[in-house]
Amino acid sequence: MNAATVALVPAAGRGERLGGRGPKALVPVHGVPLVVHAVRGLLSAGCVRRVVVAAPLSHVDIMRSVLADAGAEALVVAGGGDRSESVRRALDAALAESADMSPEISVVLVHDAARAFTPPELVRAVTDAVAAGAPAVVPVLPVADTVKRVDANELVTETVSRADLRAVQTPQGFAPDVLRRAYEAGGDEHTDDAGLVERIGVPVSTVPGHPAAMKITTPFDLAVAEAVLAP
Ligand code: CTP
Ligand code: MG
């Protein structure tokens, strides 16, 4: 499909749950920083025209040179204090840069640097679904664990049916105007971009996710990535 696709990569987090060893996006797996794996993965999908990375304000120059040295071409901008502010800044930079580019952007992907080993096929599946007319698309997996609700004392109050629950990954894909309007409308705390889109009443569709698109959050996840995910 011939969609002009831009990928925004929030990479400005501090990686606190990984043990505070500096920005998570710069933590190496097989000697290569996560952000480099993530950008290479997006570019290797073959459908992404431009990648915009949101880096921690203190590490913009470092991330720029790490990516350039690795030959992973990306525009690096300063991220914000939370994930949505980082996405907002990357989106602004992408839209500004592409204002006089042709063809116009038709798909915007938002993809966590922390999901550094997402298969290129998944990037293409999300892009294709948006290019085919879906305004917002998220990759999902069924929930494998039994899910329970607890009260303030951690006592179980309910077992929730997992049949209609899904765990959501990235990249999430959007028609550019939909994501722009969702960010303009804003809202309270949210952990994904599709959440903002739901609030403006735009339907969000799903494609099957992939286990390798797992988010590297904890030292255990990092060990899994070292052992089985790194190319
Ligand atoms: N992120 C970002 N800007 C922030 C916070 C997070 O761009 N201010 C990015 C992270 O770099 C990551 C993605 O959002 O790629 C998902 O966030 P998460 O996994 O929570 O990463 P961190 O915030 O770095 O980790 P932690 O919450 O453990 O500190
Ligand atoms: Mg975080």
Side-chain angles (χ1 to χ4, degrees), residues 24-60:
K24 183 161 69 181
L26 291 173
V27 170
V29 168
H30 285 204
V32 176
L34 288 176
V35 69
V36 172
H37 287 290
V39 172
R40 278 185 182 155
L42 286 163
L43 293 173
S44 73
C47 57
V48 174
R49 174 174 84 186
R50 185 68 160 145
V51 178
V52 181
V53 173
L57 184 58
S58 52
H59 287 71
V60 171

Side-chain angles (χ1 to χ4, degrees), residues 55-223:
L57 184 58
S58 52
H59 287 71
V60 171
D61 291 339
I62 293 172
M63 219 171 264
R64 213 169 260 153
S65 59
V66 160
L67 286 162
D69 290 350
E73 200 185 323
L75 174 67
V76 180
V77 300
D82 57 30
R83 184 186 178 282
S84 44
E85 189 53 32
S86 295
V87 173
R88 184 192 300 277
R89 291 182 186 191
L91 178 63
D92 287 349
L95 294 176
E97 185 186 60
S98 67
D100 35 37
M101 270 191 200
S102 178
E104 271 180 48
I105 300 175
S106 47
V107 180
V108 179
L109 302 177
V110 185
H111 185 46
D112 291 333
R115 297 184 189 273
F117 301 101
T118 299
E121 299 77 39
L122 183 55
V123 176
R124 287 196 289 272
V126 172
T127 303
D128 287 352
V130 178
V137 178
V138 297
V140 298
L141 289 176
V143 177
D145 293 324
T146 296
V147 178
K148 294 190 192 294
R149 199 179 304 282
V150 294
D151 64 15
N153 299 316
E154 291 289 319
L155 277 173
V156 172
T157 57
E158 189 192 353
T159 300
V160 183
S161 167
R162 67 185 178 210
D164 60 353
L165 294 181
R166 300 290 179 270
V168 179
Q169 303 180 314
T170 74
Q172 301 190 352
F174 306 93
D177 199 51
V178 167
L179 190 62
R180 194 183 51 72
R181 283 196 289 122
Y183 267 87
E184 268 170 22
D188 311 332
E189 178 85 4
H190 65 283
T191 54
D192 76 340
D193 309 286
L196 281 181
V197 167
E198 288 154 41
R199 286 204 196 138
I200 61 167
V202 171
V204 176
S205 44
T206 63
V207 297
H210 194 286
M214 65 175 272
K215 185 157 74 73
I216 296 171
T217 305
T218 63
F220 178 82
D221 301 333
L222 195 61

